[in-house]
Amino acid sequence: MIKIFVTGGTFDKDYDEKNGKLFFKKTHMNEILALGRSRVDVDIKTLMMIDSLDMKDKDRDFIVENCKKTKAQKIIITHGTDTMTKTANILGRENYAKTIVITGAMIPYKFGTSDGLFNIASALAYVQTLSHGVYIAMNGRVFEFDKVLKNKETGIFEEIKKD
């Protein structure tokens, strides 16, 4: 069984056509998995519904606490892309005997052109095949938690080359 922790981020934003603003209502994860015809055994738990730019240390502590407490050895965390590397680094220092994959979306799922469906599908595949550790999965690529950054100009996650 794979535990999916939802934290919000662009992935789960809805669009209010009247005022042109994005907002959170509830996670779209069940709908996304049904659309993708997923047959993977998952347990979804919403931890919070916030933009990652609004995420505080107490929110990250709550994510860490839930990763520690769950009996699941395979965990996916949906997260806003702006600070997912920060959360990944905090989780990576914990040295869990678990496989944790963090993913997100650059475009809200409800827009219809979102990369979220592809990213969650990739995360599901990666969490089942990678060894224990913390990873970020975006745009068909997977990165170790401490070897990735989000290029703010291109909006693409890139590997950090370490010597």
Side-chain angles (χ1 to χ4, degrees):
M1 191 262 307
I2 298 168
K3 187 73 167 188
I4 299 177
F5 289 129
V6 174
T7 68
T10 300
F11 212 105
D12 274 315
K13 286 186 176 176
D14 275 289
Y15 181 68
D16 184 337
E17 294 177 15
K18 287 183 181 178
N19 66 26
K21 294 187 179 181
L22 296 171
F23 69 99
F24 292 106
K25 188 164 50 174
K26 62 178 181 146
T27 185
H28 305 298
M29 189 53 58
N30 286 312
E31 182 180 339
I32 290 168
L33 294 174
L35 180 64
R37 299 180 49 140
S38 176
R39 298 296 177 253
V40 179
D41 185 21
V42 299
D43 179 44
I44 301 166
K45 180 179 181 182
T46 300
L47 299 182
M48 60 197 74
M49 292 291 281
I50 62 174
D51 189 293
S52 71
L53 289 172
D54 297 327
M55 197 174 276
K56 309 283 188 246
D57 289 342
K58 67 178 178 63
D59 299 314
R60 287 186 177 81
D61 290 344
F62 189 59
I63 294 169
V64 168
E65 178 186 324
N66 276 274
C67 287
K68 281 182 186 175
K69 281 191 332 189
T70 186
K71 292 180 180 169
Q73 297 296 301
K74 298 175 186 311
I75 302 166
I76 293 174
I77 301 170
T78 63
H79 196 290
T81 62
D82 286 311
T83 67
M84 72 168 46
T85 57
K86 182 175 182 177
T87 301
N89 274 281
I90 291 168
L91 286 165
R93 290 194 299 262
E94 294 291 325
N95 288 322
Y96 295 107
K98 299 178 180 191
T99 304
I100 301 173
V101 178
I102 305 173
T103 194
M106 301 300 287
I107 301 166
Y109 164 72
K110 283 297 186 177
F111 278 24
T113 58
S114 176
D115 54 333
L117 184 62
F118 183 72
N119 290 337
I120 194 66
S122 296
L124 283 165
Y126 289 133
V127 81
Q128 292 178 79
T129 57
L130 291 170
S131 60
H132 291 163
V134 177
Y135 306 90
I136 287 180
M138 289 294 294
N139 309 111
R141 296 186 69 197
V142 65
F143 306 92
E144 294 178 37
F145 75 92
D146 60 345
K147 295 181 180 145
V148 60
L149 62 80
K150 179 182 175 184
N151 182 322
K152 303 279 184 186
E153 290 181 22
T154 63
I156 295 172
F157 282 78
E158 300 172 349
E159 185 175 3
I160 298 171
K161 304 288 185 195
K162 295 202 175 188
D163 297 329

